[in-house]
Amino acid sequence: MKMDISVSNEIPNAQEYNNLRIISGLSPKDEAASEVGLKNSIYIVTLRDSDKLIGMGRIIGDKGCFYHIVDIAVAPSYQGKGLGKRIMSEINTYLENNIPKNSYVSLIADIPADELNKKFGFVYSAPKSVGMVKKI
């Protein structure tokens, strides 16, 4: 497969965002809510093959003390080619250059993605704390 991968910080539209989430094994989100959420992101990195969205990740938070990494996704046919690492590298560079000292940066990693996140300095918070979710 010949790839013409471009990296940008452009906000994807809600439909392609949800399509990528679904094919990557993440849950779909409400389209109107997706539009709001994407526009309110602190930072977005997108990967495209020609014009097709094939990977992304973003940072959300309060722009001061707390930052949360979400939506790390790569289309299945592009997985195993280092693109998840490229996304996390772009996010890590942004964090290192743009957020206040002593900010709290968190993420929830699906296994085996936790191994990738360790390469960027993330550690397990347990047993001192554990991740929790509430789905509505």
Side-chain angles (χ1 to χ4, degrees):
M1 168 191 325
K2 184 180 182 310
M3 296 188 298
D4 182 22
I5 306 297
S6 63
V7 179
S8 79
N9 304 113
E10 294 178 21
I11 299 172
N13 69 52
Q15 184 177 12
E16 66 182 346
Y17 162 75
N18 269 301
N19 288 342
L20 179 62
R21 284 186 60 85
I22 292 165
I23 66 171
S24 301
L26 302 176
S27 61
K29 299 297 179 193
D30 177 81
E31 193 164 313
S34 296
E35 288 178 16
V36 172
L38 289 166
K39 289 177 187 172
N40 285 306
S41 300
I42 293 171
Y43 180 77
I44 292 180
V45 59
T46 56
L47 304 181
R48 292 183 181 276
D49 186 355
S50 298
D51 64 344
K52 180 182 176 184
L53 182 66
I54 55 100
M56 73 170 291
R58 63 191 185 111
I59 303 169
I60 60 175
D62 65 9
K63 296 184 181 180
C65 298
F66 298 95
Y67 297 81
H68 190 66
I69 299 170
V70 297
D71 294 331
I72 304 299
V74 175
S77 60
Y78 292 85
Q79 292 176 4
K81 301 176 184 344
L83 298 177
K85 185 175 182 179
R86 177 68 188 269
I87 293 165
M88 284 301 296
S89 179
E90 294 284 332
I91 286 173
N92 196 55
T93 298
Y94 177 88
L95 292 168
E96 288 177 350
N97 294 323
N98 294 284
I99 70 169
K101 185 177 179 184
N102 297 321
S103 295
Y104 186 85
V105 179
S106 61
L107 59 77
I108 300 210
D110 293 335
I111 295 172
D114 58 328
E115 293 301 320
L116 171 64
N117 298 321
K118 286 179 188 177
K119 294 176 183 176
F120 291 94
F122 287 88
V123 297
Y124 297 111
S125 60
K128 186 175 180 180
S129 60
V130 295
M132 299 175 72
V133 299
K134 178 179 181 178
K135 294 186 179 184
I136 305 226

